[in-house]
Every structure is written in structure tokens, then in C-alpha cells.
Amino acid sequence: MTSFLISALLLLIAALFWFLRPLFFKPKELATSRRQMNAAIYREELDKLEAERASGAIDIESYEQAHAEMRQRLFQDTDEPDDLSVMGSPKKTIIGICIFVILLSIGFYVALGDAPRIAEKNAEKPMTKESVDLMVAQFAEKLEKEPDNLQGWAMLARSYRVLGRNVEAQKAYERAGSYVDSDPQLLADYADVIATNNNGNFSGKPMQLLKKALALDPDNLLALWLKGTAAFNAQDYKGAIIAWERLAKQLPADSDEARSINLSIEEARSKGGLAPASKPAISTKGVSGQVDLAPTLKSKLKSGDILMVIARKPGERMPVAVFKTAVTSFPMSFALNDSLAMSPNALISQLSEVSVEVRISKTGMAMPESGDLISAPTTVKVGTSNIQLLVDAVRP
């Protein structure tokens, strides 16, 4: 911050010196005044008049008259105040300009600058493991002076947990006391810390903490995972499956976490000799109908073109079901139901209405392409079975 201000001040001084040089250094030669110019002109005219008299071009009387008129005009012109620029006090001018420029610079800096942020940027240093450890150590030292700060001890326990210092984390949770009793996430984390320190054994206090956490929040993800893990380690495979299946229902079906949980469930079924889970019956509730092609577009069909009938929740872009087949002859029949769902968490049978449209693609790609043959979207009630869709346009 200090270096920035010094640099800015030096630049300001240099700029002021550059612009105020004429005030510091007087010119070596003064400019020619109007009085001097007039005198020079009249001197030249008098010389010409004298030459004409000497050559006999004018007589003595005319010479005297002209000479008198010139002397009178010369006296009048040179007697007037000179118009050569007269500068006032340079010291006052310099001071005035300096004050104006400095005040203007300060105004712009206050309005557009950000001194605190510059200071913060200069003060920022890369965060290292050593600096984190130091911060946690300082926090722990502070809490030793505040033993009743239960929230602080819980925060310290989470910090130790992140750093992998589970022994210190367990001690900090013990100091947090009743503060964790109303927080299911802290209860589950506390149970995990104790079990980790006990080589994965959840018996005793860890299981008590998990039961308390699930009593407060039956769908707590960490508590469900740990309860299933505890049951699996105790060879209670049915109990593990129950806990993990409840956990899996809360995760996106296509996520890595859900796939991992499902693999654990299958492993528990295999080790427990339990039958595989029966797949839920697929609902046939959906929409169906026929697709026709406008006569003007039949010449644009090519062998291998793919017809797609797409159903979406009105107002959304993600399809809920897609019927896809090679183009044969029109009209073509279609049916959209849960067997064609894009995600098990978004089924057409769960909607009251859908927007249906047709696209004939040369490549069969999911993304629309220029040249695709398309129909206008039609919104229908789920359960409708006589939808008539007409492909009558070309995607630009």
C-alpha cells in the first residue's frame, strides 16, 4: 500500500513538472511587441520617403507634409500601451495549478479507487498446510481460555476431522458436550470419528450417536451410510441393505454416489445370500398415436433416417421419454411410457400432461441439427392414445 502511494505521488510530481516548465523557466528571448513592430514599419516608410526626395520624385513641400504626418502617426501608435503579454506572479499560478491537480486526483481516487482492496491483495499470501495448522492451533489455544464455548469446540473438532487428526477431533467433540446433541450431522460425524479411532468398530457409543442422529433426521445421508456400514461389518446384511436403500433413494440415480451405494447393496445381498431386489413394475401409462409426413417433405427423406418422438414436461428442455426408430413408411405409430424414460426419477406416468414433438434426423443425434424435419410441439394429457402429429417443417 505504501509503495503504491509513493509511486503515485512521484508520477504526479513528474507530470506537474512537465506541464509547468514554462512557469519555472523564463524564455531566453522576449517576444516582439506591437510597439516595436510599428516603429520598425514607420522607420522603413521614412527611409523610402527620404529616398524619393533624394531622387526628385517628390518636391520639398510634399516631402515635409508627408514626413510630418508620419511622425504624428508614429507618435500616436508608440504612445499607446504595449500589448505584449504580461504574466502575473508565477509562484501563485504554480501553487494554484498544483492544488487543483492534487485535489482532482484525490477526488478521482476516492471515487474510483479501492485502497482497502489493494491493501488486502498485498497482504494475501498462499494458504499452506503449515499456515492452516497454525490457525487451528491458535484457535485451540483460544478455546482453552474459553472452556464453555461449546460451539467453538464443535468447530475445532470439524477442523481436526478435515485435517485427519481424529484423536484430537474426538477430544474436541467431548469438550463440545451438549452442543452436538441437537445436530444430526455433528452426531454422525462424532460417531464416525470414534469408530475410526476404534478401527471401524461402531459398537457402544458410536451406534448410540447414530441412533440419536437418525431420530432427529431419519434421512441424514452420513448417518444412513454409517449405520449400513456398521450393520455390514457386523454381518447384519439385511440391516445394511435397509439403511443403504433408504440412502440410495435420496441420490440422483445416474450419480457416481448412487452407483457406489448400489454396488454395496449388491455385495450385501451376495454375502447375505439374499435374493436380488425385484425391479418395480413399469407403468404403461403414457401417450401414443401416429406420425405422418407432409407430402412436400417426402423427397427429403433418405434411407437410414431416424424418427424420434420426444415427450417433455411443458416448459422444460429435458425429455422425460423418447421413442426412437428407423423411418419406414408413413403414417408411423408410436407409444411413450416409463420403459422409454430418460431417468427413473422423472417418469412420464408421474405427469399430468406432456409436450410431444417429432424430429427426423439424418444422424440420430440427441442434439437437433440444421436440416432435421420437425413437427410443431403439441401439449396433451398423459393417457391420450390418439395423438396425430404431422412433420411439416425443416429446421433452419
Side-chain angles (χ1 to χ4, degrees):
M1 181 63 183
T2 303
S3 59
F4 168 76
L5 291 177
I6 292 175
S7 301
L9 181 60
L10 290 175
L11 287 174
L12 180 60
I13 292 173
L16 286 173
F17 179 78
W18 177 263
F19 287 110
L20 298 177
R21 283 185 309 161
L23 300 179
F24 287 108
F25 306 103
K26 295 183 179 180
K28 296 180 179 180
E29 296 181 0
L30 293 175
T32 303
S33 68
R34 188 166 65 87
R35 178 185 295 175
Q36 292 172 329
M37 292 180 62
N38 287 342
I41 292 171
Y42 283 119
R43 188 178 299 111
E44 184 178 352
E45 291 294 327
L46 288 172
D47 290 342
K48 288 182 180 180
L49 184 63
E50 181 64 30
E52 289 177 354
R53 184 192 66 79
S55 64
I58 59 173
D59 54 24
I60 295 296
E61 184 178 352
S62 298
Y63 169 78
E64 293 292 344
Q65 183 179 353
H67 194 277
E69 290 177 358
M70 283 188 182
R71 285 199 307 269
Q72 184 178 0
R73 287 186 356 235
L74 177 60
F75 175 76
Q76 290 175 348
D77 289 343
T78 57
D79 190 50
E80 294 177 358
D82 201 351
D83 64 353
L84 182 64
S85 298
V86 178
M87 184 179 294
S89 172
K91 183 182 294 185
K92 293 181 179 179
T93 304
I94 292 172
I95 294 174
I97 293 176
C98 289
I99 292 175
F100 173 76
V101 172
I102 292 173
L103 291 177
L104 184 65
S105 302
I106 293 174
F108 274 116
Y109 181 74
V110 171
L112 304 177
D114 197 345
R117 182 171 296 178
I118 293 173
E120 290 175 5
K121 288 292 183 182
N122 291 335
E124 284 182 0
K125 295 181 180 178
M127 188 66 70
T128 62
K129 184 179 183 302
E130 290 74 15
S131 62
V132 173
D133 289 339
L134 178 60
M135 291 171 59
V136 173
Q138 291 173 343
F139 186 41
E141 184 179 350
K142 177 184 177 183
L143 288 176
E144 289 294 343
K145 301 175 183 178
E146 303 175 9
D148 296 331
N149 185 355
L150 303 184
Q151 182 180 5
W153 285 108
M155 292 175 60
L156 180 62
R158 297 294 296 271
S159 300
Y160 281 139
R161 186 83 168 96
V162 171
L163 294 174
R165 296 162 60 177
N166 292 312
V167 174
E168 291 98 326
Q170 181 174 344
K171 293 178 180 178
Y173 269 129
E174 291 171 356
R175 300 286 294 271
S178 61
Y179 181 80
V180 302
D181 291 343
S182 59
D183 190 322
Q185 191 65 30
L186 290 178
L187 287 168
D189 192 63
Y190 188 8
D192 192 17
V193 168
I194 299 176
T196 301
N197 291 334
N198 291 341
N199 297 318
N201 186 358
F202 283 87
S203 60
K205 189 171 184 178
M207 185 55 65
Q208 295 174 4
L209 293 171
L210 290 177
K211 289 180 179 179
K212 189 181 293 186
L214 290 171
L216 294 171
D217 179 9
D219 293 326
N220 184 274
L221 300 182
L222 179 59
L224 286 172
W225 167 251
L226 294 176
K227 182 180 179 182
T229 301
F232 186 92
N233 292 344
Q235 299 183 354
D236 179 9
Y237 300 114
K238 186 175 182 179
I241 292 170
I242 293 173
W244 286 341
E245 283 184 341
R246 180 159 189 163
L247 170 60
K249 290 179 181 178
Q250 302 178 62
L251 300 173
D254 56 348
S255 65
D256 292 338
E257 293 82 0
R259 284 190 282 269
S260 178
I261 293 296
N262 289 329
L263 288 175
S264 298
I265 292 173
E266 291 304 317
E267 184 181 1
R269 289 186 183 280
S270 175
K271 289 193 172 184
L274 303 174
S278 58
K279 295 183 178 179
I282 297 176
S283 172
T284 58
K285 184 180 179 181
V287 295
S288 60
Q290 288 187 326
V291 177
D292 208 347
L293 181 67
T296 56
L297 297 181
K298 289 185 178 180
S299 62
K300 295 184 178 295
L301 282 180
K302 304 294 181 182
S303 176
D305 286 357
I306 303 297
L307 179 140
M308 290 177 280
V309 184
I310 305 165
R312 295 183 174 89
K313 183 178 180 179
E316 296 189 2
R317 296 181 61 184
M318 183 65 184
V320 293
V322 177
F323 173 83
K324 187 175 180 180
T325 187
V327 172
T328 54
S329 60
F330 290 92
M332 296 182 64
S333 299
F334 71 90
L336 292 166
N337 53 43
D338 289 349
S339 65
L340 301 175
M342 302 298 293
S343 169
N345 296 326
L347 302 175
I348 191 172
S349 62
Q350 298 173 347
L351 302 177
S352 60
E353 60 180 14
V354 289
S355 175
V356 185
E357 61 184 279
V358 181
R359 181 164 62 88
I360 299 177
S361 169
K362 304 296 181 184
T363 62
M365 299 295 291
M367 293 296 294
E369 299 175 302
S370 177
D372 288 349
L373 308 181
I374 58 176
S375 73
T378 302
T379 300
V380 297
K381 298 287 186 182
V382 173
T384 304
S385 58
N386 58 348
I387 304 172
Q388 300 295 320
L389 300 174
L390 178 64
V391 178
D392 58 356
V394 180
R395 183 178 177 84

